[in-house]
Amino acid sequence: MNVQSLSDHSMAFPPTNQPPDTRSRILDAAARLFHEQGFNATGVSTILREAGVNPGSLYNLFPSKDALLAAVLERYTELLHPIVMEPVEKKTSDPIERVFALLQQYREWYSPLEFRLGCPIGNLALEVADSHPEIRPLIQQNFDGWSAYVRKWLDDAGDRLPRDLDRKQLAATVLTVMEGGLMQARSSRSAAAYDASVGQLRAYFDLLLARASAGRTQP
Amino acid sequence: MNVQSLSDHSMAFPPTNQPPDTRSRILDAAARLFHEQGFNATGVSTILREAGVNPGSLYNLFPSKDALLAAVLERYTELLHPIVMEPVEKKTSDPIERVFALLQQYREWYSPLEFRLGCPIGNLALEVADSHPEIRPLIQQNFDGWSAYVRKWLDDAGDRLPRDLDRKQLAATVLTVMEGGLMQARSSRSAAAYDASVGQLRAYFDLLLARASAGRTQP
Amino acid sequence: MNVQSLSDHSMAFPPTNQPPDTRSRILDAAARLFHEQGFNATGVSTILREAGVNPGSLYNLFPSKDALLAAVLERYTELLHPIVMEPVEKKTSDPIERVFALLQQYREWYSPLEFRLGCPIGNLALEVADSHPEIRPLIQQNFDGWSAYVRKWLDDAGDRLPRDLDRKQLAATVLTVMEGGLMQARSSRSAAAYDASVGQLRAYFDLLLARASAGRTQP
Amino acid sequence: MNVQSLSDHSMAFPPTNQPPDTRSRILDAAARLFHEQGFNATGVSTILREAGVNPGSLYNLFPSKDALLAAVLERYTELLHPIVMEPVEKKTSDPIERVFALLQQYREWYSPLEFRLGCPIGNLALEVADSHPEIRPLIQQNFDGWSAYVRKWLDDAGDRLPRDLDRKQLAATVLTVMEGGLMQARSSRSAAAYDASVGQLRAYFDLLLARASAGRTQP
DNA sequence: TATGAATGAGGGTTCATTCAT
DNA sequence: CATGAATGAACCCTCATTCAT
């Protein structure tokens, strides 16, 4: 879900032996720059330079900078599974561990950069949600897809979690922890608040698991 | 901590009977516009128009747009107590209820606007943290101040919370919940994810309170 | 001579049962758009869209936008008789009434559009005469052809008009009245100045006819 | 009413000893270029270069290229008297000779340039009347002002012209002759059609004068 | 100190045209 | 011959900032 991953996969969907085409080069450059600098701070001319493309080519493929942003967010939706979720599901089959493997994955992506970047979706959510109404649904789609994976894992956990637990709400909270934690990590250039939040989430899960376990043995 | 509150208090620190001076008018306009539109999307000329001020005047008082941003963030720091925390502390003396009164206060600020705005500090954190190194500490200062109040309340809760609970981490998590929850609220224009996250935090607190209570009666 | 007429006849010269070919579709679209928007304000891409044609196809048939303009003007020359003059000559056989039937025809073409358009040749004359030296002769050819018809009618009027009248000059004046009148009609979105000018021309003709009549009876 | 005259008078309203200010330099350059090349064919950057001005300066003074066009047309309105009408009224006091002195003045302005330019108002009338609804009234204002002078002269002619002559219509026709004549002059790069039209107008006047004279002596 | 015109680099976008497929 | 992506100069305009008054 970070820009490097997106670039790495620019040729992967569908896989091909050809050099990355213009559209992909533009999308990759735009995604990277929007992630690194934000949408408003990224000039179209910078995208063009980085993608090695002429203005006319870009505007043949995307009617506007806003439409390019929309395409970048569509691409993030496509890449949600292969880049974000698949590695996590390959790492562990325990549904609850998957939740924390996902949170750990973000830590591993961004701590080498000293949290200089943040979640590209979250960044855009705060930057353009108000000014670009047509973009909001695409951000929401990314958030919904992300939460849906977590929700499914929580469902997979079955009665290891309390029966009366609202798993949809908990899934939303996992996203909240990731986004709120990364925001503080970026501000402090330190993992502390992110780790703290994940730690408290882990403590919460432990209490839930204990309660469910008690409920199962002594109903 | 929202823009209206800031405007309401533009003459209040220090209190005075004079009309708002140029500096205050600029700060108020800039804070409001940065909150509503973001930093990069707000032109200096818009600030000038809204503040009723000439470019020369602004640049006499603030050497640059970035310096103005810094001043806005300093002001948010000053207003943290009177605008954000004092109302919460007046509402309830129960330290744990204060945590949730604080989270409720944000809900009440932004739900009438259908969550069109978000936390002004959080917005700026994601927009300028990387590009403006000199601004990061000021954002951090706001986050730290905010968390410190929560931390103090958690300390005030004494042994109602488990003795081995890391209260600093939990305070960071409360901020995480607020920021992560608001981000999703803005994207969906709905309180659902915010309420979900706060609800899960409440459930976590309930489990902590129960555990501490059990610990006290049966040590 | 207006765009609708040109379109109506796109398949008519020479008559054919086939669907309009690419070249005709381009010429029709270009003529209509140049008439409606002017030459400079009409983008090649708009012509392509309206004609349903690709850039490569257009540039196979016409080496440049300027060449397309030339072709449009050639087409107007071809259509001068069937679209502009033939209907007038069919309407009346009186050569002098033909002059005013011609002027009336323009009124009937453009007043339903509230004079939003003007003479397509006149428009281009003012827009491209200086910048496109190779186009000027084609405009001139249209004006000359137009005036030649009027001139012929004036000749046909024989001694109903004064013998010493310069009929070529009067023919030029009829075109002057049409173009100058339409220009004012466009500016005012009203027929007033056009009707005024035609009315004065009619008064002039009446005086000429009276003088010639007097000259014939009392030489 | 041509561009050189406008430039010559750039400092004249109100008269001043100072160098032409930015606004005047822009207006002069824009008027000249719109006249020489047309509105659409004139780039803002060309205006800036010719005026020796930066883009920001232009856009401080005029909100858009369209607004600049409006200002140019306002200026033409202001200059109608001093540039166009005053010299004619100084040349002769005979009201009817003034009509033909006016038409002669245009000939003298444009024939040295081989009629490469045309009436700047007429050019714009045909180029932007449809696309710029806010500009039309300004063009109309110029035409109305121009015709009003002619109308007044015709009124001044008193009973030298027939009592039942519609002088307003005749004034409109004088403008028609000027514009329609200049259009043909530009297309042919020759005075012939202009002179022809003016000649026929003179013949018409002569007939009117004769008729009025006859009417006075033998009522 | 206040004013608002001036600065000039850069903003996003469209243009007429070319060319590989 | 058709296709439509690619070209790159030019389009109109806004930006943060400076400076003469």
Side-chain angles (χ1 to χ4, degrees):
Chain A
M1 205 165 191
N2 70 351
V3 90
Q4 289 162 305
S5 309
L6 189 145
S7 296
D8 294 349
H9 288 72
S10 61
M11 294 179 289
F13 293 92
T16 158
N17 290 326
Q18 300 183 351
D21 63 5
T22 304
R23 188 185 155 88
S24 291
R25 289 209 317 279
I26 293 171
L27 278 177
D28 290 350
R32 181 166 55 77
L33 290 164
F34 292 165
H35 192 190
E36 290 171 1
Q37 312 182 337
F39 176 74
N40 288 303
T42 299
V44 172
S45 62
T46 308
I47 298 171
L48 296 171
R49 183 175 5 93
E50 302 274 307
V53 145
N54 297 314
S57 300
L58 188 152
Y59 282 90
N60 271 350
L61 296 166
F62 305 96
S64 67
K65 190 189 177 191
D66 290 357
L68 175 54
L69 171 59
V72 165
L73 282 163
E74 303 267 21
R75 191 147 181 71
Y76 276 124
T77 306
E78 291 167 18
L79 296 179
L80 176 63
H81 178 71
I83 305 294
V84 182
M85 297 303 174
E86 201 168 54
V88 166
E89 298 193 326
K90 279 198 171 141
K91 204 173 216 172
T92 172
S93 60
D94 181 312
I96 290 184
E97 287 317 304
R98 282 176 168 174
V99 171
F100 291 93
L102 177 61
L103 294 168
Q104 174 64 11
Q105 181 173 258
Y106 281 91
R107 194 188 195 286
E108 283 165 7
W109 278 341
Y110 296 120
S111 71
L113 309 166
E114 287 176 305
F115 297 95
R116 238 174 288 264
L117 305 180
C119 168
I121 314 295
N123 296 351
L124 292 170
L126 294 204
E127 189 179 4
V128 304
D130 294 340
S131 56
H132 291 69
E134 78 283 10
I135 296 296
R136 260 199 320 118
L138 299 172
I139 291 167
Q140 193 53 34
Q141 175 177 299
N142 274 279
F143 283 162
D144 285 345
W146 201 96
S147 301
Y149 275 95
V150 175
R151 165 78 190 277
K152 190 186 153 293
W153 296 335
L154 297 178
D155 285 341
D156 291 345
D159 62 2
R160 289 170 62 197
L161 290 170
R163 205 168 308 159
D164 62 348
L165 173 72
D166 187 325
R167 285 150 208 241
K168 189 176 174 197
Q169 289 203 351
L170 183 51
T173 305
V174 175
L175 178 53
T176 290
V177 164
M178 188 276 274
E179 294 290 1
L182 272 187
M183 181 190 287
Q184 290 177 74
R186 264 186 104 192
S187 303
S188 61
R189 292 273 169 89
S190 126
Y194 187 80
D195 290 345
S197 303
V198 173
Q200 293 297 308
L201 184 68
R202 171 68 86 173
Y204 179 42
F205 265 84
D206 288 344
L207 290 169
L208 290 174
L209 291 168
R211 187 157 76 78
S213 169
R216 282 197 306 279
T217 54
Q218 293 181 341
Chain B
M1 206 165 191
N2 70 351
V3 91
Q4 289 161 303
S5 309
L6 190 145
S7 297
D8 294 349
H9 288 72
S10 61
M11 296 179 289
F13 295 91
T16 160
N17 290 326
Q18 299 183 351
D21 63 5
T22 303
R23 189 185 151 87
S24 289
R25 288 211 316 281
I26 293 171
L27 278 177
D28 289 350
R32 181 167 55 78
L33 290 164
F34 291 165
H35 191 189
E36 289 172 0
Q37 312 183 338
F39 176 74
N40 287 303
T42 298
V44 172
S45 64
T46 308
I47 298 170
L48 295 171
R49 180 170 14 89
E50 302 272 307
V53 148
N54 297 315
S57 302
L58 188 150
Y59 281 90
N60 273 346
L61 294 164
F62 305 96
S64 68
K65 190 188 178 191
D66 291 357
L68 175 54
L69 172 59
V72 165
L73 282 163
E74 303 268 22
R75 190 146 181 71
Y76 276 123
T77 306
E78 292 167 19
L79 296 179
L80 175 62
H81 178 70
I83 304 294
V84 182
M85 296 304 173
E86 200 168 56
V88 166
E89 297 193 327
K90 279 197 172 140
K91 203 173 215 172
T92 173
S93 59
D94 181 311
I96 290 183
E97 288 316 304
R98 283 177 168 174
V99 170
F100 290 94
L102 178 60
L103 294 169
Q104 174 65 10
Q105 180 173 258
Y106 282 91
R107 192 188 197 287
E108 283 165 6
W109 278 341
Y110 296 119
S111 71
L113 308 166
E114 287 177 306
F115 298 95
R116 240 172 287 265
L117 306 179
C119 168
I121 315 296
N123 296 351
L124 292 169
L126 294 203
E127 190 178 5
V128 304
D130 295 341
S131 56
H132 291 68
E134 79 284 10
I135 297 296
R136 258 199 321 117
L138 299 171
I139 291 166
Q140 194 51 36
Q141 174 178 301
N142 274 277
F143 283 162
D144 285 346
W146 201 96
S147 302
Y149 274 95
V150 175
R151 165 76 191 277
K152 190 186 151 293
W153 296 335
L154 297 178
D155 284 342
D156 292 344
D159 63 2
R160 289 170 62 198
L161 290 169
R163 204 168 308 158
D164 62 348
L165 173 72
D166 186 326
R167 285 151 207 241
K168 189 177 175 196
Q169 289 202 350
L170 183 51
T173 305
V174 175
L175 179 53
T176 289
V177 165
M178 188 275 275
E179 294 289 2
L182 272 188
M183 180 190 287
Q184 289 176 76
R186 265 187 104 192
S187 303
S188 61
R189 292 274 169 90
S190 128
Y194 187 80
D195 290 343
S197 303
V198 173
Q200 294 297 308
L201 184 68
R202 170 69 86 174
Y204 179 42
F205 265 83
D206 288 343
L207 290 169
L208 290 174
L209 291 168
R211 188 158 73 80
S213 168
R216 281 198 308 278
T217 53
Q218 294 180 337
Chain C
M1 207 163 190
N2 71 351
V3 90
Q4 288 161 304
S5 309
L6 188 144
S7 296
D8 295 349
H9 288 72
S10 60
M11 295 179 289
F13 292 92
T16 159
N17 290 325
Q18 298 183 352
D21 62 6
T22 304
R23 189 185 152 87
S24 288
R25 289 210 315 280
I26 293 171
L27 277 177
D28 289 350
R32 181 167 54 78
L33 290 163
F34 292 165
H35 191 190
E36 289 172 1
Q37 313 183 337
F39 176 73
N40 287 302
T42 298
V44 173
S45 63
T46 307
I47 299 170
L48 295 171
R49 180 171 13 89
E50 303 273 307
V53 148
N54 297 315
S57 301
L58 187 150
Y59 282 91
N60 273 346
L61 295 164
F62 306 96
S64 68
K65 190 188 177 191
D66 290 358
L68 174 53
L69 171 59
V72 165
L73 282 163
E74 302 269 20
R75 190 145 181 71
Y76 276 123
T77 306
E78 292 167 18
L79 296 178
L80 175 63
H81 178 70
I83 304 294
V84 182
M85 296 304 174
E86 200 170 55
V88 167
E89 298 193 325
K90 280 197 171 141
K91 204 172 214 171
T92 173
S93 59
D94 181 312
I96 290 183
E97 288 316 304
R98 283 176 169 174
V99 171
F100 291 94
L102 176 61
L103 293 169
Q104 174 66 10
Q105 182 173 258
Y106 282 92
R107 194 190 196 285
E108 284 165 6
W109 278 341
Y110 296 120
S111 72
L113 309 166
E114 288 176 305
F115 297 95
R116 240 172 287 266
L117 305 180
C119 169
I121 314 297
N123 296 350
L124 292 170
L126 294 203
E127 189 177 5
V128 304
D130 294 341
S131 56
H132 291 69
E134 80 282 10
I135 296 296
R136 257 197 324 114
L138 298 171
I139 291 166
Q140 193 52 36
Q141 174 178 301
N142 273 278
F143 283 162
D144 284 346
W146 201 96
S147 302
Y149 275 95
V150 176
R151 164 78 191 275
K152 190 186 153 290
W153 297 334
L154 297 178
D155 284 342
D156 291 345
D159 62 1
R160 290 171 60 199
L161 291 170
R163 205 169 307 159
D164 63 348
L165 172 72
D166 186 325
R167 287 154 205 238
K168 189 177 174 196
Q169 288 203 351
L170 183 52
T173 305
V174 174
L175 178 52
T176 289
V177 165
M178 189 275 275
E179 294 290 1
L182 272 187
M183 180 189 288
Q184 289 176 77
R186 266 186 102 191
S187 303
S188 62
R189 292 273 170 89
S190 126
Y194 187 80
D195 290 344
S197 303
V198 174
Q200 293 298 308
L201 184 68
R202 171 69 86 174
Y204 178 42
F205 266 83
D206 287 344
L207 289 169
L208 289 174
L209 292 167
R211 187 157 75 82
S213 169
R216 281 196 308 277
T217 54
Q218 293 181 342
Chain D
M1 206 166 191
N2 70 353
V3 91
Q4 288 161 305
S5 309
L6 188 145
S7 296
D8 294 348
H9 288 73
S10 60
M11 294 179 289
F13 293 94
T16 157
N17 291 326
Q18 300 182 350
D21 63 5
T22 304
R23 189 185 154 87
S24 290
R25 289 210 315 280
I26 293 170
L27 277 177
D28 290 350
R32 181 167 53 79
L33 290 163
F34 292 165
H35 192 189
E36 289 172 1
Q37 311 183 338
F39 176 75
N40 287 303
T42 299
V44 172
S45 62
T46 307
I47 298 170
L48 296 171
R49 182 174 8 92
E50 302 273 308
V53 146
N54 296 314
S57 300
L58 188 153
Y59 283 92
N60 272 350
L61 297 166
F62 306 96
S64 67
K65 189 190 177 190
D66 290 357
L68 174 55
L69 172 59
V72 165
L73 282 163
E74 302 269 20
R75 191 146 181 70
Y76 276 122
T77 306
E78 292 167 18
L79 296 180
L80 175 63
H81 179 70
I83 304 294
V84 182
M85 298 303 174
E86 201 169 54
V88 166
E89 298 193 326
K90 279 196 172 145
K91 204 173 215 170
T92 173
S93 59
D94 182 312
I96 291 185
E97 288 317 303
R98 282 176 169 174
V99 171
F100 291 93
L102 177 61
L103 294 168
Q104 174 67 8
Q105 181 173 257
Y106 282 91
R107 193 189 197 287
E108 283 166 6
W109 278 340
Y110 296 119
S111 70
L113 309 165
E114 288 177 303
F115 297 95
R116 236 172 290 265
L117 307 178
C119 169
I121 315 296
N123 296 352
L124 292 169
L126 294 203
E127 188 178 6
V128 305
D130 294 341
S131 56
H132 292 70
E134 80 282 10
I135 296 296
R136 259 198 320 118
L138 299 171
I139 291 167
Q140 193 52 35
Q141 173 178 299
N142 273 279
F143 283 162
D144 285 346
W146 201 96
S147 302
Y149 275 96
V150 176
R151 165 76 190 277
K152 189 185 153 293
W153 296 334
L154 297 179
D155 284 341
D156 291 345
D159 63 2
R160 289 171 61 198
L161 289 170
R163 205 169 307 158
D164 62 349
L165 173 72
D166 186 325
R167 285 151 209 240
K168 189 176 175 198
Q169 290 202 351
L170 183 53
T173 305
V174 175
L175 178 52
T176 290
V177 165
M178 188 275 275
E179 294 289 0
L182 271 188
M183 181 189 288
Q184 290 175 75
R186 264 186 104 191
S187 302
S188 62
R189 292 273 170 89
S190 125
Y194 187 80
D195 289 344
S197 302
V198 172
Q200 293 298 308
L201 184 68
R202 170 70 86 175
Y204 179 41
F205 266 83
D206 288 344
L207 289 169
L208 289 173
L209 291 167
R211 187 157 75 82
S213 169
R216 281 197 308 278
T217 54
Q218 294 180 339

